Amino acid sequence: MAEEHTDSQSVLLQQVIADIQTTLQLRNAFHIRVARKVTILLRVGLVSLGVLAIILLLLLTALSSQTQSLITIVGTMNQRFVSMSDNMYTMRNTIERMEKSVATMPIITGEVTRMRHTVTAMSGELTGMDKRLIGIHRQVAGIENNMAHMTMTFGMLDRGVQGMGVDVHRMSRPMKTFNSISPLP
């Protein structure tokens, strides 16, 4: 009976050892499958990271090449707005000088009014001249009104153009800063 026990224990022991070996083989196979999947994931991740790096490099190159032309265009616009602002300043000064010259128009209008009274007192032959002087008086008053309106309009336009020049200069600052730190010429 001891021998049967030993034989049955021996068989049982061999069965346990076989089960342990099978379990270890299954566990190793599982680890190998997991390792293969992790390796594949790492490779896919590295390839994706490489593709992303290439795309970013191409994007940066395209942006850098376009930035230079954009900076050139903004610089040209800035120069033209400065030139336009200078021209508006010159026009404003010219209109102010014209306004000063036209400032004597009320005196002329007063003189024309006195002349009209004098001509009215004269003979009937000068009646036609009186009508012409009235027309001149109206034209001079219209010129005065138009000059005042032009002066006001150019003043508002000059402020608008100067504001645009400041805005264009402010807009070009980020591009100038980016150009100064850009590795490409």
Side-chain angles (χ1 to χ4, degrees), residues 55-71 174-175 178-179 182-185:
I55 290 172
L56 286 177
L57 181 63
L58 291 174
L59 182 64
L60 183 60
T61 303
L63 181 64
S64 179
S65 67
Q66 294 301 319
T67 300
Q68 186 61 37
S69 63
L70 185 62
I71 288 171
M175 285 299 162
F178 181 78
N179 194 32
S182 178
L184 299 175

Side-chain angles (χ1 to χ4, degrees), residues 147-180:
M147 291 304 290
H149 182 68
M150 282 174 63
T151 300
M152 184 177 70
T153 302
F154 276 105
M156 290 187 302
L157 187 59
D158 185 42
R159 286 190 296 274
V161 168
Q162 286 176 352
M164 285 172 59
V166 168
D167 289 344
V168 167
H169 184 68
R170 192 177 310 139
M171 266 182 16
S172 67
R173 279 190 205 147
M175 285 299 162
K176 288 179 182 176
T177 302
F178 181 78
N179 194 32
S180 67

